[in-house]
Every structure is written in C-alpha cells, then in structure tokens.
Amino acid sequence: MVGEDPRPDALVRLMSLMPPEHGVDEKVDWAAAEARWGVRFPGDYRAFMARYGGGSINGEAGVLLPLPREGLRWPPEDLAEETANVRHAWAAEGGRDALDVDPAHLLAWGVTAGPDILCWLTADPDPDRWPVVVCGRHTEPTFTVLPYGMAEFLARLLGDEFDEPPVSLVFWDGTPARFVHWREEQRRYLAGLDPLTGEPDPYAHPS
C-alpha cells in the first residue's frame, strides 16, 4: 500500500521548504514514548523531533509531541488529545463505513487550524511503512489515506504538489514555510511579540 517512500530524502526536501532555524532537539525519551503508545515511531518523525521538535507551521498547523511536556505558560500539545479526537470522529462518522480500520490504529501526529487531524495508520508492524491519514473537517471524504510518511506528506503539501489539497485549510503560500518551536512561540507570546514572526504585536498579552 505504501510502496516506495524515500523518507530520509523527504526530510531533506522538507528542510529546504521549511528551514529548521527555529527548531530545537526535543531529546525525546523514545523508550518512554514507545511504552506509552505501544508502538515504535517512524524514523522521519524521530528525525523531525531532533531537528525541529514540536511546534507550528506558518501559525496554522502544528506537529505534536510524543509525550507531555511542561510549558513556559501552558503545556505544548502532545499526541494524546488529538488521538482521542480522531478516534471519536471515526466513530461519529460511521466507524468502518467511513474508514475500514481498527480505530486503535489511528495515532495523531499533527493538526491544522482547519481543524483537520493528521494521523498515522499504525496497522503495519514496520512504522516506516505507516501511511498518513487526514481526518478533515471540511473535506470529502472525511478520511483520506495517503501513501506517504509524515515528512513526505508535509513536503508535498508545502511544495504544493497535490492537485486537490487533502486538508481543509491551505496553510502554505509558495514561500519558505516558517516553523517555530513551541518554546519559542511561548517565549515570544510572554514578551508581547507575535508568536510567528517575533515582531512587536500590539494585540499580544505579555505576562
């Protein structure tokens, strides 16, 4: 189903489309993350966490952490809430009539302001063969399975390579995408700066 997916090359391409200048190595305890979720994680996601970490893309999409963390002002988003949300959405949309999978195999890794939930389908024992599933708020159908890993999926989105975007919200505009680590976002917010640009923001709410 997944076919050939050059995931290391996909991450390199993603880095050219979205420079990791504001990324931070999360130094994830992968043994703890795997124990928490009962799976090994894909290599491209592990590499993403080392180069970028969790955070936002253009202020309108985000990549989630595998484990909870303490925040500067609020906890950054991790997989748990959106994974619960996508499994609830699967049931609400008709279960196997909407997507013929075991909902326990839906594991969220990202979210858009659409709001769409970006997931893996974890049925394959090899995590590097997991396809991406989009649970779209305003897409038809609600669930779309795409034969790419998360890095390849993001690179294709940011490279505007889909004839019809599989998400509800276009959060890219053809220029290099801005990734901002969650800690830098919160630091900027607390300093009264725009969390995306780092520029003074008259509407910000400093501490």
Side-chain angles (χ1 to χ4, degrees), residues 163-182:
D163 292 334
E164 293 292 334
V167 294
S168 304
L169 174 76
V170 175
F171 56 86
W172 60 96
D173 60 7
T175 60
R178 294 185 182 185
F179 179 88
V180 183
H181 187 267
W182 62 267

Side-chain angles (χ1 to χ4, degrees), residues 16-74:
S16 73
L17 294 164
M18 184 173 70
E21 59 184 312
H22 295 300
V24 176
D25 184 353
E26 293 289 353
K27 301 187 184 302
V28 174
D29 182 342
W30 289 110
E34 291 166 5
R36 165 67 180 84
W37 292 103
V39 295
R40 290 184 298 118
F41 282 87
D44 58 349
Y45 177 70
R46 293 166 65 112
F48 190 100
M49 284 293 121
R51 289 168 175 79
Y52 292 92
S56 72
I57 301 171
N58 288 343
E60 296 185 308
V63 177
L64 310 174
L65 297 172
L67 291 169
R69 287 282 177 89
E70 292 290 331
L72 303 179
R73 180 67 177 268
W74 57 84

